[in-house]
PDB file of all heavy atoms in Angstrom:
ATOM      1  N   ARG A 138      32.116 264.153 295.973  1.00 79.00           N
ATOM      2  CA  ARG A 138      31.113 264.076 297.032  1.00 79.00           C
ATOM      3  C   ARG A 138      30.000 265.097 296.800  1.00 79.00           C
ATOM      4  O   ARG A 138      28.821 264.801 296.986  1.00 79.00           O
ATOM      5  CB  ARG A 138      31.779 264.323 298.400  1.00 79.00           C
ATOM      6  CG  ARG A 138      32.644 263.166 298.878  1.00 79.00           C
ATOM      7  CD  ARG A 138      32.930 263.292 300.365  1.00 79.00           C
ATOM      8  NE  ARG A 138      33.712 264.493 300.653  1.00 79.00           N
ATOM      9  CZ  ARG A 138      35.034 264.534 300.680  1.00 79.00           C
ATOM     10  NH1 ARG A 138      35.733 263.431 300.403  1.00 79.00           N
ATOM     11  NH2 ARG A 138      35.669 265.655 300.959  1.00 79.00           N
ATOM     12  N   VAL A 139      30.405 266.288 296.387  1.00 77.00           N
ATOM     13  CA  VAL A 139      29.417 267.324 296.075  1.00 77.00           C
ATOM     14  C   VAL A 139      28.527 266.892 294.914  1.00 77.00           C
ATOM     15  O   VAL A 139      27.311 267.074 294.940  1.00 77.00           O
ATOM     16  CB  VAL A 139      30.114 268.662 295.750  1.00 77.00           C
ATOM     17  CG1 VAL A 139      29.100 269.680 295.218  1.00 77.00           C
ATOM     18  CG2 VAL A 139      30.811 269.211 296.981  1.00 77.00           C
ATOM     19  N   ASP A 140      29.172 266.297 293.903  1.00 78.00           N
ATOM     20  CA  ASP A 140      28.426 265.831 292.733  1.00 78.00           C
ATOM     21  C   ASP A 140      27.424 264.754 293.118  1.00 78.00           C
ATOM     22  O   ASP A 140      26.282 264.749 292.653  1.00 78.00           O
ATOM     23  CB  ASP A 140      29.405 265.308 291.681  1.00 78.00           C
ATOM     24  CG  ASP A 140      28.697 264.966 290.372  1.00 78.00           C
ATOM     25  OD1 ASP A 140      27.960 265.835 289.858  1.00 78.00           O
ATOM     26  OD2 ASP A 140      28.863 263.834 289.878  1.00 78.00           O
ATOM     27  N   HIS A 141      27.867 263.827 293.982  1.00 79.00           N
ATOM     28  CA  HIS A 141      26.977 262.766 294.446  1.00 79.00           C
ATOM     29  C   HIS A 141      25.800 263.342 295.229  1.00 79.00           C
ATOM     30  O   HIS A 141      24.661 262.894 295.081  1.00 79.00           O
ATOM     31  CB  HIS A 141      27.755 261.770 295.318  1.00 79.00           C
ATOM     32  CG  HIS A 141      28.697 260.921 294.527  1.00 79.00           C
ATOM     33  ND1 HIS A 141      29.793 260.286 295.094  1.00 79.00           N
ATOM     34  CD2 HIS A 141      28.750 260.611 293.201  1.00 79.00           C
ATOM     35  CE1 HIS A 141      30.446 259.617 294.172  1.00 79.00           C
ATOM     36  NE2 HIS A 141      29.833 259.809 293.004  1.00 79.00           N
ATOM     37  N   LYS A 142      26.111 264.337 296.060  1.00 81.00           N
ATOM     38  CA  LYS A 142      25.051 264.968 296.839  1.00 81.00           C
ATOM     39  C   LYS A 142      24.056 265.688 295.932  1.00 81.00           C
ATOM     40  O   LYS A 142      22.841 265.645 296.145  1.00 81.00           O
ATOM     41  CB  LYS A 142      25.642 265.953 297.842  1.00 81.00           C
ATOM     42  CG  LYS A 142      26.333 265.274 299.033  1.00 81.00           C
ATOM     43  CD  LYS A 142      26.840 266.301 300.027  1.00 81.00           C
ATOM     44  CE  LYS A 142      27.490 265.622 301.232  1.00 81.00           C
ATOM     45  NZ  LYS A 142      27.980 266.590 302.230  1.00 81.00           N
ATOM     46  N   LEU A 143      24.596 266.349 294.894  1.00 79.00           N
ATOM     47  CA  LEU A 143      23.722 267.033 293.941  1.00 79.00           C
ATOM     48  C   LEU A 143      22.825 266.046 293.197  1.00 79.00           C
ATOM     49  O   LEU A 143      21.643 266.307 292.972  1.00 79.00           O
ATOM     50  CB  LEU A 143      24.563 267.839 292.942  1.00 79.00           C
ATOM     51  CG  LEU A 143      25.241 269.100 293.487  1.00 79.00           C
ATOM     52  CD1 LEU A 143      26.155 269.712 292.426  1.00 79.00           C
ATOM     53  CD2 LEU A 143      24.184 270.122 293.929  1.00 79.00           C
ATOM     54  N   GLN A 144      23.421 264.900 292.831  1.00 82.00           N
ATOM     55  CA  GLN A 144      22.649 263.868 292.149  1.00 82.00           C
ATOM     56  C   GLN A 144      21.547 263.319 293.064  1.00 82.00           C
ATOM     57  O   GLN A 144      20.410 263.083 292.630  1.00 82.00           O
ATOM     58  CB  GLN A 144      23.564 262.732 291.690  1.00 82.00           C
ATOM     59  CG  GLN A 144      24.484 263.120 290.535  1.00 82.00           C
ATOM     60  CD  GLN A 144      25.390 261.980 290.109  1.00 82.00           C
ATOM     61  OE1 GLN A 144      25.291 260.862 290.629  1.00 82.00           O
ATOM     62  NE2 GLN A 144      26.303 262.257 289.179  1.00 82.00           N
ATOM     63  N   ALA A 145      21.921 263.139 294.347  1.00 79.00           N
ATOM     64  CA  ALA A 145      20.943 262.654 295.320  1.00 79.00           C
ATOM     65  C   ALA A 145      19.819 263.667 295.506  1.00 79.00           C
ATOM     66  O   ALA A 145      18.628 263.310 295.578  1.00 79.00           O
ATOM     67  CB  ALA A 145      21.628 262.362 296.652  1.00 79.00           C
ATOM     68  N   LEU A 146      20.209 264.950 295.582  1.00 77.00           N
ATOM     69  CA  LEU A 146      19.203 266.008 295.725  1.00 77.00           C
ATOM     70  C   LEU A 146      18.304 266.081 294.493  1.00 77.00           C
ATOM     71  O   LEU A 146      17.083 266.272 294.609  1.00 77.00           O
ATOM     72  CB  LEU A 146      19.892 267.357 295.945  1.00 77.00           C
ATOM     73  CG  LEU A 146      20.506 267.591 297.335  1.00 77.00           C
ATOM     74  CD1 LEU A 146      21.317 268.875 297.339  1.00 77.00           C
ATOM     75  CD2 LEU A 146      19.396 267.654 298.395  1.00 77.00           C
ATOM     76  N   GLU A 147      18.897 265.912 293.328  1.00 80.00           N
ATOM     77  CA  GLU A 147      18.123 265.938 292.085  1.00 80.00           C
ATOM     78  C   GLU A 147      17.104 264.796 292.064  1.00 80.00           C
ATOM     79  O   GLU A 147      15.944 264.992 291.673  1.00 80.00           O
ATOM     80  CB  GLU A 147      19.058 265.822 290.881  1.00 80.00           C
ATOM     81  CG  GLU A 147      18.336 265.944 289.544  1.00 80.00           C
ATOM     82  CD  GLU A 147      19.288 265.862 288.365  1.00 80.00           C
ATOM     83  OE1 GLU A 147      20.497 265.673 288.581  1.00 80.00           O
ATOM     84  OE2 GLU A 147      18.806 265.975 287.224  1.00 80.00           O
ATOM     85  N   ALA A 148      17.552 263.609 292.512  1.00 79.00           N
ATOM     86  CA  ALA A 148      16.647 262.459 292.571  1.00 79.00           C
ATOM     87  C   ALA A 148      15.510 262.728 293.564  1.00 79.00           C
ATOM     88  O   ALA A 148      14.354 262.391 293.303  1.00 79.00           O
ATOM     89  CB  ALA A 148      17.416 261.206 292.978  1.00 79.00           C
ATOM     90  N   GLN A 149      15.848 263.359 294.694  1.00 77.00           N
ATOM     91  CA  GLN A 149      14.828 263.682 295.691  1.00 77.00           C
ATOM     92  C   GLN A 149      13.821 264.690 295.152  1.00 77.00           C
ATOM     93  O   GLN A 149      12.610 264.574 295.387  1.00 77.00           O
ATOM     94  CB  GLN A 149      15.489 264.229 296.957  1.00 77.00           C
ATOM     95  CG  GLN A 149      16.251 263.177 297.759  1.00 77.00           C
ATOM     96  CD  GLN A 149      16.925 263.770 298.986  1.00 77.00           C
ATOM     97  OE1 GLN A 149      16.838 264.968 299.231  1.00 77.00           O
ATOM     98  NE2 GLN A 149      17.610 262.924 299.733  1.00 77.00           N
ATOM     99  N   PHE A 150      14.353 265.687 294.421  1.00 72.00           N
ATOM    100  CA  PHE A 150      13.458 266.684 293.837  1.00 72.00           C
ATOM    101  C   PHE A 150      12.521 266.055 292.799  1.00 72.00           C
ATOM    102  O   PHE A 150      11.342 266.401 292.720  1.00 72.00           O
ATOM    103  CB  PHE A 150      14.258 267.813 293.201  1.00 72.00           C
ATOM    104  CG  PHE A 150      14.701 268.874 294.176  1.00 72.00           C
ATOM    105  CD1 PHE A 150      16.049 269.160 294.355  1.00 72.00           C
ATOM    106  CD2 PHE A 150      13.773 269.563 294.938  1.00 72.00           C
ATOM    107  CE1 PHE A 150      16.451 270.126 295.265  1.00 72.00           C
ATOM    108  CE2 PHE A 150      14.167 270.533 295.848  1.00 72.00           C
ATOM    109  CZ  PHE A 150      15.511 270.815 296.019  1.00 72.00           C
ATOM    110  N   LYS A 151      13.067 265.128 292.001  1.00 75.00           N
ATOM    111  CA  LYS A 151      12.241 264.445 291.012  1.00 75.00           C
ATOM    112  C   LYS A 151      11.142 263.640 291.699  1.00 75.00           C
ATOM    113  O   LYS A 151       9.992 263.616 291.259  1.00 75.00           O
ATOM    114  CB  LYS A 151      13.100 263.527 290.145  1.00 75.00           C
ATOM    115  CG  LYS A 151      13.957 264.264 289.133  1.00 75.00           C
ATOM    116  CD  LYS A 151      14.742 263.292 288.278  1.00 75.00           C
ATOM    117  CE  LYS A 151      15.593 264.036 287.237  1.00 75.00           C
ATOM    118  NZ  LYS A 151      16.382 263.096 286.399  1.00 75.00           N
ATOM    119  N   GLU A 152      11.527 262.970 292.794  1.00 74.00           N
ATOM    120  CA  GLU A 152      10.553 262.187 293.546  1.00 74.00           C
ATOM    121  C   GLU A 152       9.490 263.092 294.157  1.00 74.00           C
ATOM    122  O   GLU A 152       8.295 262.769 294.150  1.00 74.00           O
ATOM    123  CB  GLU A 152      11.264 261.390 294.650  1.00 74.00           C
ATOM    124  CG  GLU A 152      10.329 260.451 295.406  1.00 74.00           C
ATOM    125  CD  GLU A 152      11.066 259.604 296.426  1.00 74.00           C
ATOM    126  OE1 GLU A 152      12.310 259.627 296.426  1.00 74.00           O
ATOM    127  OE2 GLU A 152      10.395 258.933 297.219  1.00 74.00           O
ATOM    128  N   LEU A 153       9.927 264.247 294.661  1.00 67.00           N
ATOM    129  CA  LEU A 153       8.981 265.207 295.236  1.00 67.00           C
ATOM    130  C   LEU A 153       8.040 265.753 294.162  1.00 67.00           C
ATOM    131  O   LEU A 153       6.839 265.931 294.404  1.00 67.00           O
ATOM    132  CB  LEU A 153       9.736 266.358 295.906  1.00 67.00           C
ATOM    133  CG  LEU A 153      10.422 266.030 297.239  1.00 67.00           C
ATOM    134  CD1 LEU A 153      11.285 267.204 297.692  1.00 67.00           C
ATOM    135  CD2 LEU A 153       9.376 265.700 298.301  1.00 67.00           C
ATOM    136  N   ASP A 154       8.591 266.020 292.970  1.00 70.00           N
ATOM    137  CA  ASP A 154       7.761 266.507 291.862  1.00 70.00           C
ATOM    138  C   ASP A 154       6.716 265.462 291.479  1.00 70.00           C
ATOM    139  O   ASP A 154       5.551 265.790 291.216  1.00 70.00           O
ATOM    140  CB  ASP A 154       8.636 266.837 290.645  1.00 70.00           C
ATOM    141  CG  ASP A 154       9.332 268.176 290.803  1.00 70.00           C
ATOM    142  OD1 ASP A 154       8.868 268.988 291.627  1.00 70.00           O
ATOM    143  OD2 ASP A 154      10.340 268.405 290.109  1.00 70.00           O
ATOM    144  N   PHE A 155       7.180 264.185 291.427  1.00 71.00           N
ATOM    145  CA  PHE A 155       6.267 263.100 291.086  1.00 71.00           C
ATOM    146  C   PHE A 155       5.161 262.990 292.133  1.00 71.00           C
ATOM    147  O   PHE A 155       3.979 262.836 291.804  1.00 71.00           O
ATOM    148  CB  PHE A 155       7.035 261.778 290.994  1.00 71.00           C
ATOM    149  CG  PHE A 155       6.155 260.579 290.749  1.00 71.00           C
ATOM    150  CD1 PHE A 155       5.646 260.318 289.495  1.00 71.00           C
ATOM    151  CD2 PHE A 155       5.821 259.727 291.801  1.00 71.00           C
ATOM    152  CE1 PHE A 155       4.823 259.213 289.274  1.00 71.00           C
ATOM    153  CE2 PHE A 155       5.005 258.631 291.588  1.00 71.00           C
ATOM    154  CZ  PHE A 155       4.507 258.379 290.325  1.00 71.00           C
ATOM    155  N   THR A 156       5.554 263.063 293.407  1.00 68.00           N
ATOM    156  CA  THR A 156       4.585 262.988 294.497  1.00 68.00           C
ATOM    157  C   THR A 156       3.596 264.145 294.427  1.00 68.00           C
ATOM    158  O   THR A 156       2.388 263.982 294.618  1.00 68.00           O
ATOM    159  CB  THR A 156       5.296 263.010 295.863  1.00 68.00           C
ATOM    160  OG1 THR A 156       6.220 261.915 295.929  1.00 68.00           O
ATOM    161  CG2 THR A 156       4.299 262.899 297.004  1.00 68.00           C
ATOM    162  N   LYS A 157       4.146 265.344 294.136  1.00 64.00           N
ATOM    163  CA  LYS A 157       3.286 266.528 294.023  1.00 64.00           C
ATOM    164  C   LYS A 157       2.281 266.368 292.891  1.00 64.00           C
ATOM    165  O   LYS A 157       1.083 266.643 293.063  1.00 64.00           O
ATOM    166  CB  LYS A 157       4.142 267.765 293.785  1.00 64.00           C
ATOM    167  CG  LYS A 157       3.342 269.068 293.697  1.00 64.00           C
ATOM    168  CD  LYS A 157       4.128 270.161 293.007  1.00 64.00           C
ATOM    169  CE  LYS A 157       4.262 269.850 291.524  1.00 64.00           C
ATOM    170  NZ  LYS A 157       4.888 270.954 290.753  1.00 64.00           N
ATOM    171  N   ASP A 158       2.760 265.905 291.712  1.00 67.00           N
ATOM    172  CA  ASP A 158       1.872 265.714 290.572  1.00 67.00           C
ATOM    173  C   ASP A 158       0.807 264.665 290.883  1.00 67.00           C
ATOM    174  O   ASP A 158      -0.360 264.808 290.498  1.00 67.00           O
ATOM    175  CB  ASP A 158       2.676 265.287 289.342  1.00 67.00           C
ATOM    176  CG  ASP A 158       3.573 266.404 288.826  1.00 67.00           C
ATOM    177  OD1 ASP A 158       3.314 267.569 289.179  1.00 67.00           O
ATOM    178  OD2 ASP A 158       4.530 266.105 288.096  1.00 67.00           O
ATOM    179  N   ASN A 159       1.245 263.595 291.554  1.00 66.00           N
ATOM    180  CA  ASN A 159       0.319 262.515 291.902  1.00 66.00           C
ATOM    181  C   ASN A 159      -0.770 263.027 292.847  1.00 66.00           C
ATOM    182  O   ASN A 159      -1.962 262.742 292.678  1.00 66.00           O
ATOM    183  CB  ASN A 159       1.085 261.368 292.559  1.00 66.00           C
ATOM    184  CG  ASN A 159       0.243 260.107 292.670  1.00 66.00           C
ATOM    185  OD1 ASN A 159      -0.644 259.877 291.864  1.00 66.00           O
ATOM    186  ND2 ASN A 159       0.529 259.291 293.666  1.00 66.00           N
ATOM    187  N   LEU A 160      -0.355 263.794 293.857  1.00 61.00           N
ATOM    188  CA  LEU A 160      -1.311 264.358 294.817  1.00 61.00           C
ATOM    189  C   LEU A 160      -2.247 265.357 294.139  1.00 61.00           C
ATOM    190  O   LEU A 160      -3.437 265.410 294.450  1.00 61.00           O
ATOM    191  CB  LEU A 160      -0.557 265.038 295.967  1.00 61.00           C
ATOM    192  CG  LEU A 160       0.138 264.101 296.964  1.00 61.00           C
ATOM    193  CD1 LEU A 160       0.975 264.911 297.942  1.00 61.00           C
ATOM    194  CD2 LEU A 160      -0.878 263.252 297.713  1.00 61.00           C
ATOM    195  N   THR A 161      -1.684 266.135 293.213  1.00 65.00           N
ATOM    196  CA  THR A 161      -2.497 267.116 292.482  1.00 65.00           C
ATOM    197  C   THR A 161      -3.570 266.414 291.657  1.00 65.00           C
ATOM    198  O   THR A 161      -4.733 266.838 291.642  1.00 65.00           O
ATOM    199  CB  THR A 161      -1.615 267.969 291.556  1.00 65.00           C
ATOM    200  OG1 THR A 161      -0.641 268.668 292.342  1.00 65.00           O
ATOM    201  CG2 THR A 161      -2.455 268.975 290.787  1.00 65.00           C
ATOM    202  N   GLN A 162      -3.185 265.324 290.975  1.00 67.00           N
ATOM    203  CA  GLN A 162      -4.137 264.565 290.174  1.00 67.00           C
ATOM    204  C   GLN A 162      -5.232 263.957 291.044  1.00 67.00           C
ATOM    205  O   GLN A 162      -6.415 263.986 290.691  1.00 67.00           O
ATOM    206  CB  GLN A 162      -3.414 263.463 289.397  1.00 67.00           C
ATOM    207  CG  GLN A 162      -2.530 263.985 288.272  1.00 67.00           C
ATOM    208  CD  GLN A 162      -1.788 262.878 287.550  1.00 67.00           C
ATOM    209  OE1 GLN A 162      -1.932 261.707 287.888  1.00 67.00           O
ATOM    210  NE2 GLN A 162      -0.978 263.244 286.568  1.00 67.00           N
ATOM    211  N   LYS A 163      -4.821 263.415 292.197  1.00 66.00           N
ATOM    212  CA  LYS A 163      -5.796 262.822 293.108  1.00 66.00           C
ATOM    213  C   LYS A 163      -6.753 263.889 293.638  1.00 66.00           C
ATOM    214  O   LYS A 163      -7.960 263.655 293.759  1.00 66.00           O
ATOM    215  CB  LYS A 163      -5.080 262.137 294.281  1.00 66.00           C
ATOM    216  CG  LYS A 163      -4.393 260.833 293.909  1.00 66.00           C
ATOM    217  CD  LYS A 163      -3.768 260.178 295.124  1.00 66.00           C
ATOM    218  CE  LYS A 163      -3.130 258.845 294.747  1.00 66.00           C
ATOM    219  NZ  LYS A 163      -2.509 258.181 295.927  1.00 66.00           N
ATOM    220  N   PHE A 164      -6.198 265.053 293.940  1.00 63.00           N
ATOM    221  CA  PHE A 164      -7.024 266.146 294.448  1.00 63.00           C
ATOM    222  C   PHE A 164      -8.025 266.599 293.390  1.00 63.00           C
ATOM    223  O   PHE A 164      -9.208 266.816 293.685  1.00 63.00           O
ATOM    224  CB  PHE A 164      -6.130 267.315 294.868  1.00 63.00           C
ATOM    225  CG  PHE A 164      -6.899 268.535 295.310  1.00 63.00           C
ATOM    226  CD1 PHE A 164      -7.495 268.579 296.561  1.00 63.00           C
ATOM    227  CD2 PHE A 164      -7.036 269.624 294.464  1.00 63.00           C
ATOM    228  CE1 PHE A 164      -8.215 269.694 296.970  1.00 63.00           C
ATOM    229  CE2 PHE A 164      -7.756 270.740 294.859  1.00 63.00           C
ATOM    230  CZ  PHE A 164      -8.350 270.778 296.122  1.00 63.00           C
ATOM    231  N   GLU A 165      -7.544 266.742 292.142  1.00 63.00           N
ATOM    232  CA  GLU A 165      -8.423 267.171 291.057  1.00 63.00           C
ATOM    233  C   GLU A 165      -9.521 266.143 290.817  1.00 63.00           C
ATOM    234  O   GLU A 165     -10.687 266.492 290.594  1.00 63.00           O
ATOM    235  CB  GLU A 165      -7.610 267.405 289.784  1.00 63.00           C
ATOM    236  CG  GLU A 165      -6.692 268.622 289.866  1.00 63.00           C
ATOM    237  CD  GLU A 165      -5.821 268.771 288.629  1.00 63.00           C
ATOM    238  OE1 GLU A 165      -5.783 267.819 287.821  1.00 63.00           O
ATOM    239  OE2 GLU A 165      -5.171 269.822 288.482  1.00 63.00           O
TER     240      GLU A 165
END
């Protein structure tokens, strides 16, 4: 369960990173 949660958190962080990069590019 912990491993699944970590995987879910990792996926969320990747999505957040992608969103951040996308917003940064749009801002630039």
Side-chain angles (χ1 to χ4, degrees):
R138 287 197 296 269
V139 171
D140 187 52
H141 288 158
K142 286 183 178 181
L143 288 174
Q144 289 179 4
L146 286 172
E147 184 179 2
Q149 289 178 359
F150 277 121
K151 286 182 179 179
E152 185 176 351
L153 287 172
D154 281 340
F155 176 77
T156 302
K157 182 200 71 173
D158 292 341
N159 192 29
L160 287 173
T161 300
Q162 290 178 0
K163 287 183 178 180
F164 176 77
E165 291 176 349

